[in-house]
Amino acid sequence: MYNVPYLTKLETMKILGIESSCDESAVAIYSEQGLLAHAIHSQVEMHSVYGGVVPELASRDHIRKILPLFKKVLAESHLEIKNLDGIAYTKGPGLMGALLVGALFARSVAWAAGIPAIGIHHLEGHLLAPLLSDSPPAFPFLALLVSGGHTQLIAVHALGEYEMLGESVDDAAGEAFDKTARLLGLGYPGGPALAKLAEKGDPNTFQFPRPMIHQKHLNFSFSGLKTAVAQKVMCEQVIDDKMRANLASSIQQAIVDTLTIKCESALKETNYKRLVVTGGVSANQCLRRSLEKMTQKLDTEVYFPDLEFCTDNAAMIALAGYHRLKKGEKEGLPVEVKPRWELMQSAS
Ligand code: KG4
Ligand code: ZN
């Protein structure tokens, strides 16, 4: 269907990546030599007034930002459209309107340039983000994916070969950070703010629940934490700065302990010697320290993405697209986005 000159020059293939699933507009170019350029515009400030992402505002802002970002990465990598060999865009899951902006832009540029475009699962992007670092993990590995919408333990056998071992039955870890941060009167998004405040507190002041840690399965549940924190906050007459820091620290510790214990069980059960931690919450330093300590004990390597690639970015989408296009995958012309999409259904 396509004129596919890229198939003859796999080694120099340059892939444009586009991410617009939620509140970050991002564009990147990835090639065999590595990442050539990437740019992100975060909408956090715009949405913070409303305490969360407003979908319609997100779509409109993606429309405003995507073209300037595209021009920026082309200029930074000293490339022109005609030098691109393929385009990868986030096809889902995410906000319908926001996804459509990226998908339509990607398909239009691809059509005009006569190159293939491929839709990527956002979580596959996160899973592969550690491959952008200087010391990338080899396949296979166990992955802990911890973002604002997902908490999953996945056996990654190879690119596109994923097996779900466990996941949150309710709130995601990032959601637990965000919702409890809100109860403490911290801004949006709450995760980084809560983590910063937690550094000043004592993690042993309050005992918050660490659900499901004694159960054999590898699922998580974080909604009870939000309720426990809400009750604690309601019972207190005055919450001064010290108590707020102690609350933040104890909440963070409960989330980190739960994730660490479940990862340890998963590693013991599967015998993997590589753990990859990815998604927005993988930027959390307390989690990194805890997982480093645990994996050392098990003689297991642990990998995290570089900090700039923990949260949403287009470099991870370009990289995933690069590998899929290199395998010869391609899609037809219809523009399709999938606001709801299970990772396992994206397998190649
Ligand atoms: O992966 P991501 O950018 O977006 C999703 O695909 O969901 O993750 C965003 C989540 C938010 O819940 C945010 O609060 C959390 O990651 N997050 C953090 C930290 N940085 C981002 N949570 C805890 N500590 C952090 N340092
Ligand atoms: Zn994400």
Side-chain angles (χ1 to χ4, degrees):
M1 177 176 270
Y2 290 105
N3 170 22
V4 279
Y6 76 95
L7 286 177
T8 58
K9 45 176 179 168
L10 292 177
E11 293 313 306
T12 57
M13 216 165 72
K14 294 176 193 68
I15 303 302
L16 181 79
I18 293 174
E19 158 62 35
S20 70
S21 63
C22 189
D23 57 350
E24 257 96 32
S25 316
V27 182
I29 300 176
Y30 183 85
S31 83
E32 184 77 33
Q33 287 73 41
L35 191 62
L36 301 182
H38 82 105
I40 303 178
H41 170 76
S42 173
Q43 303 176 354
V44 159
E45 211 180 308
M46 181 180 79
H47 296 295
S48 64
V49 188
Y50 306 95
V53 177
V54 183
E56 184 56 27
L57 293 183
S59 316
R60 291 179 193 200
D61 204 54
H62 286 308
I63 292 172
R64 276 191 290 270
K65 297 294 167 7
I66 205 152
L67 189 57
L69 290 170
F70 176 51
K71 288 181 176 167
K72 189 167 182 242
V73 295
L74 279 180
E76 273 175 21
S77 51
H78 305 290
L79 295 173
E80 295 176 36
I81 293 181
K82 65 172 190 249
N83 303 122
L84 298 173
D85 301 290
I87 305 188
Y89 62 93
T90 303
K91 182 170 170 176
L95 303 170
M96 170 70 103
L99 288 167
L100 274 172
V101 177
L104 283 165
F105 183 82
R107 283 255 168 246
S108 308
V109 177
W111 170 251
I115 53 176
I118 189 163
I120 298 295
H121 196 293
H122 180 77
L123 298 185
E124 176 168 81
H126 275 305
L127 272 187
L128 302 182
L131 301 185
L132 290 160
S133 70
D134 289 339
S135 47
F139 295 111
F141 53 77
L142 174 74
L144 171 69
L145 203 157
V146 267
S147 71
H150 297 84
T151 300
Q152 298 181 332
L153 273 164
I154 302 163
V156 178
H157 303 297
L159 178 89
E161 285 179 39
Y162 311 124
E163 187 188 339
M164 183 74 70
L165 302 179
E167 64 185 324
S168 178
V169 296
D170 42 52
D171 290 355
E175 214 174 340
F177 269 103
D178 294 339
K179 286 180 175 171
T180 53
R182 199 177 181 147
L183 292 170
L184 299 188
L186 304 173
Y188 159 86
L194 190 140
K196 193 161 173 231
L197 183 61
E199 283 167 26
K200 297 185 196 150
D202 176 356
N204 302 312
T205 323
F206 303 100
Q207 269 305 307
F208 289 120
R210 283 133 172 90
M212 297 185 172
I213 54 172
H214 299 300
Q215 291 172 20
K216 274 201 105 187
H217 60 69
L218 295 172
N219 290 335
F220 305 85
S221 167
F222 286 107
S223 64
L225 178 63
K226 179 190 59 195
T227 313
V229 174
Q231 277 169 353
K232 188 82 219 157
V233 169
M234 267 189 327
C235 290
E236 296 300 327
Q237 301 281 339
V238 184
I239 298 183
D240 61 13
D241 287 351
K242 187 166 178 231
M243 183 185 257
R244 188 171 281 115
N246 285 339
L247 278 165
S249 197
S250 304
I251 293 166
Q252 176 173 261
Q253 200 59 52
I255 298 172
V256 165
D257 283 353
T258 307
L259 293 172
T260 306
I261 291 167
K262 284 290 182 182
C263 277
E264 182 168 357
S265 307
L267 284 169
K268 284 180 177 160
E269 204 170 286
T270 59
N271 272 325
Y272 278 117
K273 286 290 164 200
R274 282 183 289 268
L275 172 67
V276 165
V277 190
T278 187
V281 181
S282 70
N284 187 278
Q285 296 301 319
C286 178
L287 178 65
R288 287 185 175 215
R289 284 193 297 272
S290 173
L291 291 174
E292 268 158 8
K293 200 168 151 197
M294 180 274 287
T295 47
Q296 225 167 26
K297 208 174 62 187
L298 296 187
D299 200 19
T300 296
E301 301 283 345
V302 63
Y303 299 83
F304 304 95
D306 295 341
L307 280 181
E308 61 186 329
F309 302 129
C310 288
T311 44
D312 292 349
N313 65 86
M316 65 187 194
I317 302 301
L319 175 120
Y322 172 88
H323 286 291
R324 284 197 174 256
L325 288 167
K326 201 169 166 177
K327 276 171 69 181
E329 286 184 32
K330 57 180 186 240
E331 288 184 347
L333 284 178
V335 178
E336 189 195 9
V337 294
K338 294 186 171 186
R340 287 174 176 274
W341 190 14
E342 293 295 323
L343 178 64
M344 304 310 131
Q345 287 164 4
S346 75
S348 49

